[in-house]
Amino acid sequence: MTRRFLVWMTVVAAAAPVAWSAPKAAAKDYWVYVGTYTGPSTSGKGIYVYRFSAATGKLSGGTLAAETSNPTFLAVHPSERYLYAANENSANKGAVTAYAIDAATGKLTLLNEVSSRGSGPCYVSVDHTGKNVLVANYNSGSVAVLPVKEDGSLSEASAFVQHRGAGANPKRQKGPHAHWIEVSPDNRFALAADLGLDEVVIYKFDAAKGSLTPNDPPFGKVAPGAGPRHVVFHPSGKFVYVIDEMASTVTAFAWDARRGALKELQAISTLPEGFTGNNTGAEIEVSRNGKFLYGSNRGHDSIAVFAIDAAKGTLTAVEQAPTQGHEPRNFAIDPSGRYLFAENQRSDTIVLLHIDAKTGKLTPAGDAVPNPAPVCIKFVAVK
């Protein structure tokens, strides 16, 4: 498919589950790392880095921090000393690359690269202890755990699971397609969204061993043909939300933390009533205050905003805010909770939207910033 691109200009421990605790006092400045697609159809070269002022909402700089192949999704170690990239390559050449972060300069230094044990790794995360990296391989439909060494580099996989089965859509669900994997707030379970199976697969997770074992119940189901893509826990730990790529819906679940079980509460469209064009859901996040949920629409090119019922966990549609570009494959909320960074993959832009803390609504917050085929954003405090 022919793609239009803007000109890219280089001016541009079993520790407590920190990812789910109350936000720390926001730093003044952050390094913003951007994962991209590379190759013949884009001018992207790897991972880019910017400097962001949470006080002013200004994103500046824009330099190549690491040249590497298709570093689409990124993850930051809890210590913020290391960054990991899923190199989304096919033909069983998928890899995860480890980098050391210089928090004073934003520089990345290559540590090592190991096999993801599958084809097309599309998501990577770190468990709350920082001892393991988890990776989902989309093309081959598998997940793996890669232990983290003391220096931040990665060991070969300590656990590997090949998903089996098919879904309701013969064109897109002939086999498994693992699309996301992260651990639960208490680090006891790992959840993996499999688009091909219409399941959020649930594993028992042992951080000390880096192991994945079957859970009972083994999964939560979404509607046939919905295609679960990404998942987010509510900060309370009581609810789980899944954005369904193929159905353009969000499925809300109650989370039983003791058993590791999902109970469906609701499925709600991410699109405005009457929309008839092509669309796929992509990213999903909860606001820092836990009051609102956001999901991106590729086709309608918007961020769907929902209000969250704190007691029930159910959602009410608020608006669909334009991303001022095409195909927002990913977005991220900055650590201050004031800005949403929308990444328009087919427009080669990053657009900042201001978040209204009372209503959840989004408004433009400056000019679009050029970046080739942006896919994922992660923040690291400047030190």
Side-chain angles (χ1 to χ4, degrees):
M1 179 181 294
T2 302
R3 297 173 54 185
R4 293 182 59 194
F5 292 96
L6 299 177
V7 177
W8 167 245
M9 298 180 294
T10 309
V11 294
V12 196
V18 294
W20 311 101
S21 58
K24 297 180 181 179
K28 292 182 179 180
D29 288 351
Y30 294 89
W31 299 115
V32 177
Y33 293 98
V34 183
T36 69
Y37 275 109
T38 63
S41 62
T42 171
S43 61
K45 299 294 184 182
I47 303 170
Y48 293 83
V49 62
Y50 298 79
R51 186 162 181 153
F52 173 65
S53 169
T56 65
K58 298 297 183 181
L59 188 65
S60 59
T63 59
L64 183 64
E67 186 168 355
T68 184
S69 174
N70 292 319
T72 53
F73 271 83
L74 312 176
V76 175
H77 191 273
S79 69
E80 296 195 345
R81 295 174 59 194
Y82 313 112
L83 181 142
Y84 303 97
N87 295 99
E88 193 172 332
N89 299 318
S90 58
N92 290 317
K93 293 182 180 179
V96 178
T97 309
Y99 298 90
I101 299 171
D102 185 331
T105 66
K107 180 182 178 182
L108 296 179
T109 300
L110 177 66
L111 295 176
N112 75 330
E113 178 179 297
V114 299
S115 171
S116 70
R117 293 288 303 275
S119 173
C122 62
Y123 196 86
V124 64
S125 64
V126 186
D127 85 289
H128 299 316
T129 69
K131 295 179 180 178
N132 302 277
V133 166
L134 297 87
V135 58
N137 296 301
Y138 180 83
N139 292 348
S140 53
S142 60
V143 296
V145 178
L146 311 171
V148 176
K149 299 178 183 179
E150 289 188 6
D151 66 353
S153 63
L154 296 172
S155 299
E156 297 296 330
S158 58
F160 172 81
V161 181
Q162 176 64 58
H163 291 178
R164 306 287 181 185
N169 187 316
K171 291 184 178 180
R172 296 205 56 194
Q173 297 179 311
K174 290 182 179 180
H177 293 297
H179 217 312
W180 176 98
I181 185 168
E182 283 195 14
V183 295
S184 59
D186 59 9
N187 224 52
R188 295 175 55 231
F189 301 95
L191 282 67
D194 195 304
L195 180 144
L197 305 182
D198 287 323
E199 294 176 354
V200 178
V201 185
I202 305 166
Y203 297 100
K204 293 178 182 177
F205 174 68
D206 187 321
K209 298 178 180 178
S211 64
L212 299 172
T213 55
N215 187 56
D216 182 16
F219 52 77
K221 292 285 289 186
V222 300
R229 178 184 173 91
H230 282 188
V231 182
V232 65
F233 275 86
H234 189 270
S236 68
K238 296 179 180 179
F239 309 111
V240 169
Y241 300 97
V242 181
I243 192 160
D244 304 309
E245 177 175 322
M246 296 162 61
S248 298
T249 55
V250 172
T251 305
F253 293 91
W255 172 248
D256 183 336
R258 182 182 64 83
R259 298 174 54 234
L262 294 168
K263 179 182 179 181
E264 184 176 342
L265 300 173
Q266 175 193 27
I268 185 171
S269 177
T270 61
L271 295 166
E273 187 174 354
F275 178 79
T276 58
N278 294 323
N279 188 77
T280 54
E283 189 56 88
I284 189 167
E285 291 287 347
V286 175
S287 63
R288 301 296 181 193
N289 61 16
K291 294 181 178 181
F292 304 101
L293 182 135
Y294 300 90
S296 61
N297 286 307
R298 297 177 295 177
H300 188 255
D301 293 335
S302 64
I303 304 295
V305 184
F306 301 92
I308 301 173
D309 186 306
K312 299 178 181 179
T314 52
L315 305 173
T316 302
V318 173
E319 68 168 354
Q320 287 85 19
T323 62
Q324 305 174 53
H326 300 299
E327 196 162 318
R329 187 182 187 91
N330 176 256
F331 65 86
I333 297 172
D334 86 292
S336 76
R338 298 174 58 205
Y339 297 96
L340 184 149
F341 288 57
E343 296 153 86
N344 296 302
Q345 182 187 343
R346 295 196 184 278
S347 297
D348 294 333
T349 58
I350 300 170
V351 174
L352 271 67
L353 303 172
H354 182 264
I355 299 172
D356 188 308
K358 294 183 178 180
T359 67
K361 291 185 176 182
L362 303 172
T363 53
D367 297 331
V369 175
N371 191 96
V375 178
C376 180
I377 278 180
K378 293 296 178 182
F379 301 88
V380 172
V382 174
K383 297 178 181 178

